[in-house]
Amino acid sequence: MEYKMKLTQEQKEILEGKQGETKAKVMETMIRYGELFGADSMEKITSSYNHLVTSFGLKALTAVYDLLDELIEAGALSEQKFTCDPRPLDPNVPANLLEKFIFKNFMYSKQEQYEAQLEKLGLLNKNAFTCTCYMDEVGNTPKFGDVLSWSESSAVVYANSVLGARCNRNSGIIDIMGSIVGYVPSFGLLKDEGRKAKWIVEIKTSKKPEAQLLGSAIGMKVVEDVPYVIGLDKYLGQLDDNAKAYLKDFGAATASNGAVGLYHIENITPEAVKYGRDLILENAQVYVIDDAELERVYKNYPVVWKKKDATPKLCFIGCPHLSLAQLNSWTDRVEARLKEKGLKKVSIPTVFTAAPDVIEKFKSTPNYERLKNTGVILSYICPLMYMNNPLAGKVPTITCSNKLRTYTTAKYYTEDEILVEITGGNK
């Protein structure tokens, strides 16, 4: 079959089967995938590790397990070690007997089998399950300019924007196929022109905007285009741990409430620092965000609970997973608020989620016991996968994650509002 894409000699040899028939099929898949998006060539992956979105052993994914078995048997393994999105289950997270039965027997019954396949394909280690693989504690942090084969929208937008790596919004399975052949098709955010901004977003709020709310507003406005954000730098200061945590949550909201794969923050993100407003395309559209605009966006979120004024029964904080700095900050805030209210424990079952390696680091600090004493549950779980259980989805659940709000029945509150809700309310 003839392809429009220009291939190197090595790529042609892989396609011709000189490294095995199975690997040839993978290369053909990647070429066809690229040509759908107008790719003119393949780029070599330069990052040390990959990241996969599919971390859950759904019973329905039989074709995926068969495909992975074929790859393993043929020795067509990942050229990179990889991390994966969070596990869907954790016995420490509240669930009744029927919910647990559905999780184990109908939803994620293939979890152990699937994780065994991942280990054979190149899983980094048994702790490598998180949507925030780029955390220092996890170690999958690409360098500026690295070409990636990642999936997981919140990780891709962070890698592109905060780290200056290059990656398209790939789907599950395409991610691992890129690592198997060592190449990804060159289009979109891998190209210089694909990284230019079609939108100028001017921040004119009276205070630092809520990260998840601001990201949501921008995502819904620009959809899949690249925004260049002006005026946020005065609130972030510099790209330190707090700013990175803010941009993690901001980016996840742009990617889930829209389809943003890259944003530039003036004077903050690396490409914006390096190239400035040269990143903005001529005739870029302008979107002004002030207090009124954020309030308008917030008030228009739908509440999909059957009983809209139901008392919350569960709270998830950490979608994407929390950073170590965020765990420390939340511990301080929850403890202080409980003391102010004369309470010892949170009044709603509350789950903080973070990467297993971040949790291990947190456990070595005095703050771990302080958080434990508040009654908050610390977990490595994926809240989204947990709430995909039809029964769990019926439980009135609150969150300060716009991603979780978008994909589940969870109701969104700002961080300050969440803090009030889980510590006895306004009584």
Side-chain angles (χ1 to χ4, degrees):
M1 181 177 287
E2 290 294 322
Y3 296 100
K4 299 176 184 176
M5 194 180 294
K6 184 179 179 180
L7 301 175
T8 65
Q9 186 60 35
E10 181 187 14
Q11 291 161 2
K12 288 177 182 177
E13 289 178 356
I14 295 173
L15 186 60
E16 290 166 357
K18 293 188 177 178
Q19 294 186 25
E21 181 183 349
T22 300
K23 198 167 182 178
K25 290 179 183 178
V26 176
M27 177 60 89
E28 182 181 358
T29 301
M30 293 302 290
I31 291 170
R32 290 190 179 192
Y33 167 62
E35 290 195 341
L36 285 172
F37 293 95
D40 54 8
S41 62
M42 302 285 281
E43 284 200 42
K44 188 168 184 62
I45 296 168
T46 61
S47 59
S48 299
Y49 304 103
N50 195 3
H51 182 75
L52 313 187
V53 68
T54 312
S55 60
F56 39 90
L58 277 171
K59 189 175 184 179
L61 298 181
T62 303
V64 170
Y65 309 133
D66 290 345
L67 171 62
L68 297 188
D69 277 339
E70 183 180 341
L71 292 171
I72 292 165
E73 287 168 13
L77 309 179
S78 175
E79 292 188 2
Q80 304 165 289
K81 291 290 185 179
F82 55 81
T83 50
C84 254
D85 262 15
R87 289 183 169 104
L89 301 175
D90 180 355
N92 294 319
V93 175
N96 62 40
L97 288 175
L98 186 54
E99 287 170 346
K100 290 178 181 178
F101 180 79
I102 291 175
F103 277 135
K104 288 286 188 182
N105 296 281
F106 291 96
M107 293 186 69
Y108 305 120
S109 59
K110 300 294 184 180
Q111 191 66 28
E112 289 186 12
Q113 171 195 326
Y114 179 55
E115 288 191 22
Q117 288 180 312
L118 291 176
E119 288 182 25
K120 291 176 183 177
L121 282 166
L123 184 69
L124 180 59
N125 56 56
K126 290 183 180 294
N127 273 355
F129 289 91
T130 175
C131 50
T132 57
C133 59
Y134 42 80
M135 295 289 179
D136 291 343
E137 295 81 7
V138 182
N140 184 359
T141 311
K143 300 185 299 295
F144 183 90
D146 268 347
V147 175
L148 318 179
S149 184
W150 288 16
S151 54
E152 164 54 43
S153 63
S154 71
V156 167
V157 72
Y158 187 94
N160 276 316
S161 309
V162 181
L163 302 176
R166 298 199 167 203
C167 187
N168 284 310
R169 283 169 53 102
N170 298 308
S171 65
I173 305 305
I174 287 294
D175 46 21
I176 187 68
M177 286 187 171
S179 278
I180 289 170
V181 296
Y183 294 95
V184 287
S186 182
F187 68 92
L189 297 174
L190 268 62
K191 300 280 195 180
D192 287 345
E193 59 268 28
R195 300 178 75 82
K196 295 290 185 73
K198 293 184 178 180
W199 285 86
I200 299 169
V201 179
E202 298 180 0
I203 308 300
K204 296 186 176 181
T205 54
S206 61
K207 60 181 180 179
K208 183 179 180 179
E210 189 90 5
Q212 301 266 5
L213 190 53
L214 179 63
S216 171
I218 292 174
M220 288 191 286
K221 189 71 171 181
V222 310
V223 191
E224 64 181 1
D225 291 336
V226 177
Y228 187 95
V229 183
I230 297 171
L232 189 58
D233 55 320
K234 71 179 180 182
Y235 296 117
L236 298 184
Q238 59 183 333
L239 194 56
D240 57 14
D241 287 345
N242 289 327
K244 288 177 182 177
Y246 182 98
L247 293 176
K248 164 183 70 73
D249 293 338
F250 164 83
T254 68
S256 57
N257 287 198
V260 174
L262 165 68
Y263 57 81
H264 302 294
I265 310 295
E266 189 164 59
N267 299 322
I268 297 289
T269 53
E271 284 173 273
V273 169
K274 186 173 183 178
Y275 302 112
R277 298 190 182 187
D278 288 344
L279 289 168
I280 302 172
L281 289 169
E282 197 174 337
N283 300 319
Q285 300 182 73
V286 177
Y287 177 36
V288 178
I289 297 182
D290 55 17
D291 296 342
E293 174 63 1
L294 289 181
E295 184 67 15
R296 180 194 67 79
V297 170
Y298 187 13
K299 286 186 174 179
N300 278 284
Y301 290 154
V303 178
V304 295
W305 292 355
K306 187 173 181 180
K307 186 179 178 184
K308 296 190 184 302
D309 60 348
T311 301
K313 302 294 184 185
L314 184 62
C315 174
F316 276 115
I317 298 174
C319 179
H321 276 169
L322 297 171
S323 68
L324 185 62
Q326 286 178 307
L327 284 175
N328 289 326
S329 173
W330 272 106
T331 299
D332 290 341
R333 293 167 72 184
V334 172
E335 189 180 65
R337 169 74 181 176
L338 288 173
K339 185 176 180 181
E340 177 188 325
K341 297 289 291 183
L343 300 172
K344 291 185 178 180
K345 306 279 187 182
V346 290
S347 53
I348 297 171
T350 299
V351 183
F352 286 3
T353 63
D357 288 319
V358 172
I359 290 174
E360 286 304 308
K361 181 70 177 290
F362 183 67
K363 283 183 176 179
S364 69
T365 72
N367 284 349
Y368 173 64
E369 286 300 324
R370 290 174 58 208
L371 181 65
K372 193 175 178 181
N373 289 338
T374 69
V376 168
I377 298 164
L378 188 56
S379 174
Y380 50 74
I381 202 171
C382 173
L384 200 157
M385 290 297 103
Y386 173 93
M387 289 196 65
N388 276 344
N389 185 323
L391 292 181
K394 292 180 180 179
V395 176
T397 301
I398 59 175
T399 186
C400 51
S401 163
N402 237 311
K403 179 172 184 176
L404 192 61
R405 173 199 70 83
T406 303
Y407 293 132
T408 71
T409 59
K411 183 178 179 181
Y412 177 82
Y413 287 93
T414 67
E415 289 189 7
D416 287 345
E417 291 169 337
I418 282 283
L419 185 61
V420 169
E421 289 291 323
I422 65 176
T423 54
N426 282 313
K427 296 176 181 178

